[in-house]
Amino acid sequence: MPRMNWLDDVKWDAQGLVPVIAQEQVTGDVLMLAWMNREALQKTAELGRAVYFSRSRNRLWFKGEESGHVQTVHDMRLDCDNDVVLLKVTQLGHEPGIACHTGRHSCFHQRLDKDQWQSVEPVLKDPESIYK
Amino acid sequence: MPRMNWLDDVKWDAQGLVPVIAQEQVTGDVLMLAWMNREALQKTAELGRAVYFSRSRNRLWFKGEESGHVQTVHDMRLDCDNDVVLLKVTQLGHEPGIACHTGRHSCFHQRLDKDQWQSVEPVLKDPESIYK
């Protein structure tokens, strides 16, 4: 019998996906949450760069393929229930790193304040100049 | 017309849930990912402590209700797509904090190493003594 593959340990959801958190290694900032299918997770490990599965485009999404904002992966973690992945990454392509398609460092730029979500992170680069 | 409620800004999934990342405020450690429904998110904001929705038990889960490992919430963030929440928390009930039901600090205790998930975080407290 072949040895159990590490990809088989992951509990994929009904759509064959798993949520993946990208955390910047140096700062500890949580940059984004995206999704991976089996192929994306395998490619991520193989290439040492984040490869997600785009649910809107229904295909593999090599993070940075358009923006140049590639994520180098240093560490891959799986949680206690085997159904969430955490990546420690370096966010390339800009200094400080831009993970968000809005041109911000982190996707989590809206803060709950007085019963409203307020955007509290600056746009580091105009998205129109990121996605030409 | 009544003012739009901040809970309406969240893009709930087909099950009426949203994934929520809990990050320890002081260390920056990502502790866990769990899910919230609308009521859980409202209660979290109201009480200033993490209230999740347990998918296995199909009910609100006041984090720490059994273990005493309550999470105080300092900051609530919403991502650019309005479909992921990030909490900055203090993990109470043990020093260092235990977020995981296995008695570990973080749920992300399995590290991919040589094509295997290896547990790399110590158990800080025997789960049997946490859940009596």
Side-chain angles (χ1 to χ4, degrees), chain A residues 45-99:
Chain A
E46 204 176 292
L47 304 176
R49 65 171 278 195
V51 181
Y52 300 106
F53 182 81
S54 169
R55 295 180 302 172
S56 55
R57 288 173 286 181
N58 201 41
R59 64 163 176 84
L60 285 192
W61 161 33
F62 290 75
K63 172 73 180 157
E65 61 192 15
E66 287 181 63
S67 63
H69 299 160
V70 168
Q71 293 173 343
T72 304
V73 175
H74 304 288
D75 196 23
M76 297 175 67
R77 298 288 187 105
L78 185 63
D79 81 338
C80 52
D81 294 327
N82 289 13
D83 61 3
V84 187
V85 171
L86 171 66
L87 307 178
K88 302 288 180 80
V89 306
T90 297
Q91 179 62 62
L92 303 175
H94 190 274
E95 184 53 44
I98 295 175

Side-chain angles (χ1 to χ4, degrees), chain A residues 2-64:
Chain A
R3 194 168 63 85
M4 182 84 170
N5 189 296
W6 62 277
L7 291 160
D8 295 326
D9 293 329
V10 177
K11 271 195 212 153
W12 307 96
D13 73 7
Q15 284 74 47
L17 302 175
V18 70
V20 179
I21 302 162
Q23 182 181 29
E24 196 170 46
Q25 177 158 274
V26 172
T27 60
D29 294 338
V30 175
L31 300 177
M32 57 186 283
L33 181 142
W35 298 79
M36 288 186 187
N37 63 3
R38 189 182 168 99
E39 192 186 356
L41 187 56
Q42 181 161 32
K43 287 248 177 267
T44 297
E46 204 176 292
L47 304 176
R49 65 171 278 195
V51 181
Y52 300 106
F53 182 81
S54 169
R55 295 180 302 172
S56 55
R57 288 173 286 181
N58 201 41
R59 64 163 176 84
L60 285 192
W61 161 33
F62 290 75
K63 172 73 180 157

